[in-house]
Amino acid sequence: MRNIVFFFVLLWVLLNKANVSAQESNTERSLSGKEVFESGYPKTLSFRNDKWLLNLNFSHWEKAHMHFNGITKKYLQEEVNMPLMASEWANTYAKDHPEKLMLVHLNGEARSVNDDVTFKTYFPGHWVYEKGSIPVQDISKNQNIITLEDVSTFSLKAYTVHGKDIGVAFRPHDILLVKVDKNGKRLWGQSEFASIINIDQAKNQIKIKRGQHGSMAREFSMENTYIAPIAGDIWGGNLMYYYNLSSTCPRDKNGHSAADIFVGEMQDWFGKGGILENFDGVGFDVNYFVVKHKTWDCNNDGKIDNGFVDGINIWKEGDLNFLQKIRNVFGPEFIITSDGWNDNMQRAVGILNGMETEGLCRWNDGFRQISRTINQHTYWNLHNTTKYKFSYITAKLRNPADEMISDQLRRMGLGLASCLGVAYSPAPNLNIPEILGGKLNQPNWLGQPKGPMKYILGDQEDLLLGDGLSMSADLVQKFDLKNHSHRIEDNQLIIKGNKEDRHENMVIPGPDLKVESGDIIIFLEAKAMEAFIDLEKGSLVPRKINIKMEGLPDYPEEPMRGHLLYNNLSGFMGVDGYTPLMFYFRNVGGADLKMTLEVEEQGAFAIRNLQVFNSPCVISRVFEKGVIIVNPSLENIHIDLSQVVNNKSKFKRLDTSSNKNKDLNIDDITSVSIPALDALFLLKD
């Protein structure tokens, strides 16, 4: 590559140390002095492998975690079966090492129902139900075969078994038999849990096991009874019911919703004398921003709504209220994160401290949708207003094709996390030499950043010839805007949808592109002029602005449908200002391409500084004691190191087992090689 460097700066303040405001905590808990906020890079968080070393003694467990800046694991019974010793050790560790960040990994959407305590804490109305049916006959206490008007929504394969072999792949629905009043309102105190044993579709009959989960078998009249399947799944061997976190969740006799009960439990766990008293916060495994299921009846009216009622997303509304309750109760000196590998997962910017990216891109993708990872963390770093900003990328790789090159992908993940200014979270038993600088054996060995993250491009011209910088009339004509209002103002293109249904997404065909070979990187800045319809005007919650490319080649088929992930790349934009975004398409040359924008809802948005380069993507960042160069392309890259650092600087490769018997010195600053899907860590000499 020649000596042209394109610097795409994500704002120095964005990628510098965590922003700490003058907010005051309403608890005695303090996050001051934590290594993840004050130490250099790489910042690390030991992630999961929950029962690792619990068969040994505490001192051995403690020593094995000390080189990490923090830990997040399962310690409670809310999803998987954990020994009490796990939380006791972790709480002691947090007390003895206040410089370490300690988070509990919680399921933020569902709860294990394998114990009676759960049903004494939550009442029947606190769970999500699917569309049910009514009986066509009275039901006696001892009756186990019930004829319904319709059994089509009941299933013998309702709950998929994930994560642990329990001898079956699926389990039948649990159900609730509940009395209703003359208006159809469910009388939750007059209900009974049961489990389906068999279904006779021809006769519309279900065979059930009565009086489950501590409930008693009751008599039910056909005139005032409703029978509904319970929404759930099986993780770690345990059946789990989904919390109803919608804004219409029924309240128990004390006036408490499921969210209220959940937050109350957290107060017990994290409060004085609680099992997690010394902890610093929670990392939600999953907590969906919108309903991901196609069978849910969230407002309990007997109709499938998937969280959307009368033009209002009652799930989004309720879930944001749930997270805000946690923030209100625990104050700013408490970390709240959530998993964000899926676009429907959390976007509660300004409430959560940050996001977990599972597996660099997603749990089954170690590199393909890297644009999404970069764009998501860019938005959160730039616009989040919480007192402490804390996000992390995990080392999880589930795709068999990715596992075959796991060492380099994890090195790339560590490098990209540091470039983005977020932590990296390997499992505690993973050996990634670059975390400790190889034989330096020193946590946070790179020190603090000396500048922002940069993109290094080749010598190609902008394929749009600068028209996207001014948003020229010629370029705008190449967008198909016949179904949209638009105007050019101050070098920005402002677009608004004209559809009557304001919730409908916009699809906007853009310019045609043609390259002979190689990759394409699209840079732009985006801003939502209007927030989500059903959220307050000043909300920091971002809307999606995705780019999809028509005419891409057929990528070789991969496990877990990985070859389908190279397209439809996600970005995020909000009303608080412009966000720089990047969209990276690999091996696209030789075809006629068309860029298409896909934007959430019909509200106005703006784009500016649109540029397209026919170049592989190379990312770099300079630190006090070294430099990182990340290569997420599918080809080996050779660059001049002078494109990254001052010509007078000298660097050497890390002394690691993989570099054994190699010359570590870099004598020629004009020639550095970075393998495909890898990262190069260099130590200042």
Side-chain angles (χ1 to χ4, degrees):
M1 300 175 76
R2 305 238 299 264
N3 292 333
I4 292 182
V5 180
F6 179 86
F7 294 108
F8 188 77
V9 180
L10 300 183
L11 300 179
W12 169 233
V13 65
L14 177 160
L15 289 173
N16 206 350
K17 296 171 67 176
N19 177 38
V20 180
S21 72
Q23 300 179 62
E24 294 199 358
S25 173
N26 63 0
T27 71
E28 297 179 9
R29 183 179 285 103
S30 174
L31 295 173
S32 62
K34 299 292 181 183
E35 291 176 352
V36 292
F37 302 119
E38 299 188 358
S39 298
Y41 288 83
K43 300 179 187 291
T44 56
L45 189 69
S46 175
F47 181 75
R48 299 298 303 273
N49 205 339
D50 306 314
K51 299 180 182 180
W52 186 61
L53 301 183
L54 289 181
N55 60 328
L56 301 176
N57 55 48
F58 172 75
S59 61
H60 194 105
W61 183 93
E62 175 186 38
K63 184 179 180 180
H65 288 89
M66 280 299 295
H67 68 274
F68 296 103
N69 300 126
I71 305 175
T72 178
K73 295 179 185 288
K74 295 284 184 189
Y75 295 112
L76 303 174
Q77 294 279 67
E78 44 85 44
E79 179 178 323
V80 298
N81 296 328
M82 292 297 299
L84 180 62
M85 179 176 61
S87 57
E88 292 174 342
W89 283 12
N91 200 43
T92 299
Y93 182 89
K95 180 180 180 180
D96 293 347
H97 303 286
E99 75 282 6
K100 305 293 185 181
L101 187 74
M102 294 294 289
L103 306 179
V104 61
H105 200 257
L106 287 181
N107 192 308
E109 64 169 354
R111 179 58 164 267
S112 171
V113 293
N114 67 338
D115 64 277
D116 292 339
V117 175
T118 297
F119 292 93
K120 294 177 181 177
T121 306
Y122 293 84
F123 96 125
H126 286 155
W127 310 118
V128 174
Y129 293 88
E130 299 173 352
K131 181 181 178 181
S133 186
I134 59 177
V136 298
Q137 59 188 187
D138 294 342
I139 303 170
S140 67
K141 288 183 179 180
N142 298 321
Q143 185 176 340
N144 66 352
I145 295 179
I146 299 173
T147 304
L148 302 174
E149 284 192 349
D150 180 18
V151 298
S152 63
T153 58
F154 299 81
S155 176
L156 294 175
K157 295 183 176 181
Y159 307 136
T160 304
V161 177
H162 305 272
K164 185 178 181 180
D165 184 4
I166 61 172
V168 294
F170 303 95
R171 272 188 52 181
H173 266 126
D174 275 8
I175 62 173
L176 187 79
L177 296 83
V178 58
K179 293 186 178 181
V180 296
D181 64 16
K182 61 182 180 180
N183 297 315
K185 182 179 179 181
R186 301 177 193 183
L187 305 175
W188 301 105
Q190 302 179 55
S191 61
E192 174 193 343
F193 288 103
S195 299
I196 290 181
I197 299 173
N198 197 23
I199 301 175
D200 188 329
Q201 299 284 347
K203 295 181 179 179
N204 271 334
Q205 289 181 339
I206 56 175
K207 184 177 182 180
I208 62 176
K209 186 177 181 180
R210 305 286 300 270
Q212 298 299 290
H213 303 305
S215 66
M216 300 293 292
R218 294 172 174 267
E219 292 183 350
F220 291 91
S221 168
M222 59 180 290
E223 287 84 12
N224 65 350
T225 300
Y226 187 72
I227 300 177
I230 303 171
D233 228 326
I234 296 175
W235 289 94
N238 291 335
L239 174 60
M240 304 184 73
Y241 291 174
Y242 289 105
Y243 304 109
N244 190 336
L245 296 178
S246 74
S247 57
T248 61
C249 176
R251 297 178 178 270
D252 61 20
K253 62 182 179 181
N254 297 314
H256 295 148
S257 66
D260 295 331
I261 298 297
F262 198 165
V263 175
E265 284 191 291
M266 292 178 65
Q267 287 180 277
D268 291 338
W269 297 332
F270 294 104
K272 286 291 184 182
I275 196 170
L276 305 177
E277 175 183 3
N278 300 310
F279 269 58
D280 303 302
V282 56
F284 281 119
D285 181 14
V286 281
N287 180 255
Y288 281 84
F289 181 65
V290 296
V291 171
K292 64 173 183 174
H293 306 274
K294 304 300 181 185
T295 58
W296 284 13
D297 169 20
C298 296
N299 69 343
N300 297 301
D301 66 352
K303 301 175 183 177
I304 296 173
D305 56 50
N306 295 314
F308 211 88
V309 177
D310 295 331
I312 300 296
N313 192 326
I314 61 172
W315 190 269
K316 183 193 304 179
E317 181 180 68
D319 191 61
L320 285 172
N321 289 338
F322 161 60
L323 296 170
Q324 187 63 59
K325 286 177 184 178
I326 299 174
R327 178 59 68 203
N328 293 345
V329 166
F330 292 99
E333 302 286 336
F334 188 83
I335 296 294
I336 313 170
T337 67
S338 186
D339 194 350
W341 66 265
N342 182 300
D343 290 348
N344 293 328
M345 289 182 178
Q346 262 313 318
R347 287 187 242 164
V349 182
I351 301 175
L352 273 64
N353 300 86
M355 297 301 295
E356 170 196 314
T357 299
E358 186 174 1
L360 185 54
C361 302
R362 49 192 289 162
W363 61 273
N364 63 335
D365 180 13
F367 66 90
R368 298 160 192 81
Q369 292 190 332
I370 199 167
S371 300
R372 185 191 184 286
T373 300
I374 293 172
N375 291 338
Q376 181 184 55
H377 287 294
T378 296
Y379 186 88
W380 279 81
N381 287 344
L382 184 59
H383 299 293
N384 197 2
T385 58
T386 54
K387 183 175 180 179
Y388 298 91
K389 296 179 182 178
F390 180 71
S391 295
Y392 56 95
I393 295 172
T394 76
K396 189 174 187 178
L397 297 172
R398 295 287 298 277
N399 188 315
D402 296 350
E403 290 177 342
M404 292 179 66
I405 54 172
S406 60
D407 286 350
Q408 66 191 67
L409 288 179
R410 290 185 175 118
R411 186 163 46 243
M412 185 174 77
L414 177 67
L416 182 63
S418 297
C419 287
L420 284 168
V422 303
Y424 192 65
S425 301
N429 59 333
L430 282 177
N431 178 27
I432 304 175
E434 289 75 14
I435 285 179
L436 299 176
K439 291 186 178 179
L440 285 177
N441 197 32
Q442 180 182 328
N444 315 112
W445 61 275
L446 276 166
Q448 298 299 337
K450 297 292 288 183
M453 183 176 103
K454 300 176 182 178
Y455 290 95
I456 305 170
L457 304 183
D459 57 357
Q460 294 84 0
E461 295 285 340
D462 172 12
L463 297 182
L464 301 180
L465 302 178
D467 284 351
L469 299 178
S470 61
M471 281 298 161
S472 70
D474 286 343
L475 176 64
V476 172
Q477 287 180 357
K478 296 178 181 179
F479 287 86
D480 184 352
L481 296 168
K482 61 178 177 293
N483 295 320
H484 306 83
S485 303
H486 73 280
R487 68 182 189 275
I488 303 171
E489 182 179 291
D490 297 329
N491 298 328
Q492 58 185 344
L493 173 59
I494 301 173
I495 303 172
K496 185 181 180 71
N498 294 329
K499 294 289 184 66
E500 183 176 346
D501 182 359
R502 307 304 295 168
H503 291 96
E504 186 175 337
N505 294 340
M506 287 184 268
V507 178
I508 306 168
D512 294 331
L513 301 170
K514 176 71 174 180
V515 296
E516 294 303 320
S517 63
D519 303 347
I520 283 181
I521 307 178
I522 300 172
F523 294 112
L524 61 84
E525 296 176 28
K527 177 183 178 180
M529 311 295 285
E530 298 176 51
F532 278 107
I533 294 170
D534 46 6
L535 293 180
E536 59 191 69
K537 182 178 180 181
S539 171
L540 295 175
V541 174
R543 289 164 58 195
K544 286 189 296 184
I545 174 170
N546 295 3
I547 290 185
K548 189 170 185 177
M549 198 73 73
E550 295 180 19
L552 290 180
D554 292 330
Y555 294 98
E557 189 168 334
E558 298 178 3
M560 294 187 167
R561 300 166 65 83
H563 54 290
L564 302 180
L565 301 176
Y566 290 95
N567 203 354
N568 195 22
L569 305 180
S570 299
F572 302 91
M573 61 181 182
V575 298
D576 197 41
Y578 273 98
T579 302
L581 302 173
M582 182 275 285
F583 303 89
Y584 182 38
F585 298 89
R586 301 172 175 91
N587 289 348
V588 302
D592 295 323
L593 306 172
K594 176 171 282 293
M595 181 177 73
T596 299
L597 299 179
E598 297 183 349
V599 180
E600 272 185 308
E601 298 196 342
Q602 296 284 301
F605 72 98
I607 60 172
R608 69 183 185 188
N609 294 333
L610 173 63
Q611 292 182 288
V612 183
F613 292 91
N614 177 202
S615 172
C617 179
V618 181
I619 300 167
S620 71
R621 197 172 192 190
V622 178
F623 296 82
E624 291 174 317
K625 298 179 182 179
V627 64
I628 298 174
I629 307 172
V630 180
N631 176 16
S633 77
L634 301 179
E635 60 183 91
N636 297 336
I637 299 293
H638 301 275
I639 66 167
D640 290 355
L641 192 54
S642 59
Q643 295 175 262
V644 181
V645 297
N646 188 299
N647 283 333
K648 296 180 180 179
S649 301
K650 290 187 177 181
F651 294 87
K652 61 182 179 181
R653 296 174 177 82
L654 292 181
D655 190 356
T656 67
S657 57
S658 61
N659 284 329
K660 188 177 181 180
N661 299 324
K662 292 183 180 179
D663 184 3
L664 302 177
N665 294 315
I666 297 177
D667 297 323
D668 183 4
I669 200 168
T670 63
S671 180
V672 175
S673 178
I674 310 98
L677 301 177
D678 210 332
L680 180 64
F681 288 74
L682 300 179
L683 179 66
K684 186 175 287 187
D685 198 353

